[in-house]
Amino acid sequence: MVSRLVLLNLWVVILLCNSATSVWCLNYTKFRQVGDLRLSRIQKHLDSLNKPPVLSIQSPDGDIIDCVHKRKQPALDHPLLKNHKIQKIPPEMPKVMVKQEEGAKSINISENDGHIRRGAWQIWHQGGQWCPKGTVPVRRSTVHDVLRANSLYDFGKKRRGSAPLARRADAPDVVSGNGHEHAIAYTGTSSEIYGAKATINVWDPNIEVINEFSLSQIWVLSGSFDGSDLNSIEAGWQVSPELYGDSRPRLFTYWTSDAYQATGCYNLLCSGFVQTNSRIAIGAAISPLSEFQGSQFDVTIVIWKDPKLGNWWMGFGDNTLVGYWPADLFTHLADRATMVEWGGEVVNSRANSQHTSTEMGSGHFAEDGFGKSSYFRNLEIVDSDNSLISVRDISTLAENTNCYNIKSGSNNQWGTYFYYGGPGRNPECQ
């Protein structure tokens, strides 16, 4: 038995992760001395998190995907879900409302549609293996995953202050100065929101230092924006070296019922989210990716409240059900949402006393347009009748448009959409 795990100082090694993806990734690993007690605590936590698998699949990118019996998955360890029975009845899918908008502002997107490829998938599928029926895929967590976090308590959690908080009744405040910067679109407050949907193209933005990240996501929100009871359900793609140990874009989820204080986590790194799909691994890398002035690969994400049983479901791609957040996890979201946000977020740690060069989206500004900028298209919300309705009026917000910006529009093909992102540090962004 190894009595002590001895590691060196923090360093970064650049590796070519997988030639099939043409993406350079960073293998971020903390090398430092770890005492017996801390190592024991970490291992105990991992033993409770990594459930005994029916089958384990080695992904080409180095991940291990454990196929865990669905009734043994981490979600059911939650105290509020002690007697929870996994929902077997399929949720009622939101109804699609088809309506052409007259007088919508238009850009010439139709000629680019041939360059869009639907349904970016996941790298662990490339070996032709899937989890068997009755199991769910869970990305295995390792000691190094935990060591990259500030502490065992922080592992898998967002740092407080990363959440949008309201500075006015109808606008989120992304709290400038806390290191998190955004380019987002949002709805006004409403008492009749039961979900949201969007299609997002996937890129591999550069991350400058290990504790920074870049993400593109949907937020479904309710509660007090200036208190400690904010409820949030989130999903999208992110690049987070600290969380995953590399710079690959990955499908992720998040939830909290107390403004990111103690509840909730990323993916399945705590109990809560009930997975039902055997072929989509939350936290696994997405492939293929969008190419600059080339093919664009996008994913569709929908989050909505099942009108019959009240759970918040997540769909990925062409109405593929991934799983759900039980209504029992929430206070305000147990009923409905009051705001939806779509967009990008980065961490600016100012490690060298200057603005980070961590990119948002594709790393290009919104005005560069299709094939160069990152986009959200077909923004929709779910109403009280469980119908998907195109968002007509959105507001946009970016703290520092010299670093990252956002520009919205609408037309018949893409409904309401926006381009967003940027390179971070540049001559105008210091």
Side-chain angles (χ1 to χ4, degrees):
M1 178 178 179
V2 178
S3 63
R4 185 174 295 273
L5 182 61
V6 179
L7 303 170
L8 305 175
N9 291 326
L10 174 66
W11 71 311
V12 178
V13 180
I14 300 179
L15 296 173
L16 181 61
C17 294
N18 189 323
S19 59
T21 63
S22 298
V23 177
W24 283 88
C25 295
L26 298 178
N27 183 19
Y28 300 85
T29 308
K30 281 186 177 180
F31 292 87
R32 65 188 179 191
Q33 189 173 0
V34 180
D36 293 342
L37 181 58
R38 187 179 183 209
L39 184 58
S40 175
R41 288 173 176 168
I42 290 173
Q43 193 57 59
K44 182 178 180 180
H45 182 72
L46 292 175
D47 289 343
S48 67
L49 194 61
N50 295 322
K51 305 300 183 182
V54 173
L55 171 72
S56 294
I57 298 172
Q58 179 71 57
S59 175
D61 62 354
D63 283 355
I64 296 176
I65 305 298
D66 287 329
C67 303
V68 177
H69 194 285
K70 63 183 180 181
R71 287 194 290 271
K72 301 294 185 181
Q73 63 179 295
L76 303 181
D77 291 340
H78 197 287
L80 294 175
L81 305 180
K82 184 177 181 180
N83 299 314
H84 183 80
K85 293 183 179 180
I86 296 175
Q87 183 175 335
K88 295 181 179 180
I89 301 173
E92 183 180 325
M93 300 293 295
K95 298 180 286 290
V96 178
M97 305 293 286
V98 179
K99 183 177 180 179
Q100 297 292 318
E101 295 186 42
E102 296 182 3
K105 291 182 288 184
S106 180
I107 61 171
N108 191 9
I109 292 175
S110 59
E111 67 183 30
N112 296 313
D113 282 349
H115 297 287
I116 298 176
R117 303 290 182 264
R118 309 287 190 250
W121 212 234
Q122 295 190 304
I123 290 176
W124 70 279
H125 299 149
Q126 292 179 358
Q129 287 185 290
W130 309 85
C131 282
K133 186 177 180 180
T135 69
V136 295
V138 180
R139 180 182 182 268
R140 186 183 298 179
S141 297
T142 68
V143 171
H144 281 175
D145 289 336
V146 179
L147 290 178
R148 287 190 301 271
N150 281 346
S151 67
L152 181 58
Y153 178 81
D154 291 327
F155 176 55
K157 296 182 179 179
K158 283 189 177 183
R159 294 185 177 92
R160 285 207 70 191
S162 66
L165 301 174
R167 59 184 166 194
R168 299 191 307 272
D170 62 344
D173 184 353
V174 286
V175 193
S176 297
N178 69 356
H180 294 256
E181 298 188 13
H182 306 72
I184 60 172
Y186 60 95
T187 64
T189 54
S190 168
S191 60
E192 296 295 329
I193 296 178
Y194 293 84
K197 184 177 182 179
T199 297
I200 319 165
N201 61 342
V202 185
W203 297 83
D204 60 326
N206 174 69
I207 311 297
E208 183 172 345
V209 296
I210 185 174
N211 64 341
E212 297 181 344
F213 65 67
S214 181
L215 60 76
S216 299
Q217 70 169 61
I218 301 172
W219 290 262
V220 177
L221 301 155
S222 188
S224 174
F225 288 87
D226 58 357
S228 61
D229 65 343
L230 178 68
N231 289 198
S232 181
I233 291 174
E234 306 165 22
W237 63 262
Q238 70 176 162
V239 177
S240 176
E242 183 176 84
L243 188 59
Y244 304 106
D246 62 24
S247 61
R248 292 183 181 276
R250 295 169 178 271
L251 174 68
F252 83 96
T253 61
Y254 201 93
W255 70 274
T256 181
S257 62
D258 62 357
Y260 306 88
Q261 294 181 102
T263 62
C265 62
Y266 282 111
N267 307 328
L268 306 181
L269 296 178
C270 67
S271 53
F273 182 84
V274 178
Q275 183 149 347
T276 59
N277 190 288
S278 64
R279 294 198 171 195
I280 296 173
I282 300 174
I286 299 173
S287 179
L289 308 177
S290 298
E291 301 173 354
F292 185 75
Q293 293 184 305
S295 294
Q296 302 299 296
F297 289 88
D298 57 26
V299 295
T300 298
I301 292 175
V302 58
I303 300 167
W304 84 101
K305 188 175 179 63
D306 180 5
K308 292 182 178 179
L309 297 181
N311 299 317
W312 286 90
W313 278 82
M314 174 185 169
F316 179 72
D318 297 327
N319 295 325
T320 299
L321 298 176
V322 179
Y324 62 91
W325 293 268
D328 291 339
L329 295 175
F330 303 102
T331 52
H332 298 283
L333 280 176
D335 187 15
R336 59 173 69 90
T338 56
M339 181 179 283
V340 174
E341 298 169 19
W342 302 262
E345 178 182 353
V346 301
V347 173
N348 171 28
S349 65
R350 301 191 68 88
N352 300 311
S353 299
Q354 56 186 347
H355 196 284
T356 183
S357 61
T358 287
E359 298 172 338
M360 181 188 293
S362 67
H364 289 262
F365 286 114
E367 53 267 27
D368 289 347
F370 187 87
K372 299 177 182 179
S373 298
S374 192
Y375 62 75
F376 277 64
R377 62 182 176 88
N378 300 107
L379 305 187
E380 296 175 294
I381 59 171
V382 180
D383 68 6
S384 58
D385 190 39
N386 199 35
S387 296
L388 279 164
I389 303 216
S390 180
V391 179
R392 296 180 181 276
D393 298 313
I394 58 171
S395 300
T396 59
L397 176 66
E399 293 99 328
N400 190 341
T401 55
N402 289 327
C403 305
Y404 314 103
N405 68 355
I406 179 170
K407 294 186 182 300
S408 64
S410 63
N411 67 18
N412 286 335
Q413 286 98 355
W414 278 23
T416 300
Y417 66 89
F418 61 84
Y419 289 103
Y420 70 103
R425 186 171 67 247
N426 66 75
E428 302 301 320
C429 170
Q430 298 296 325

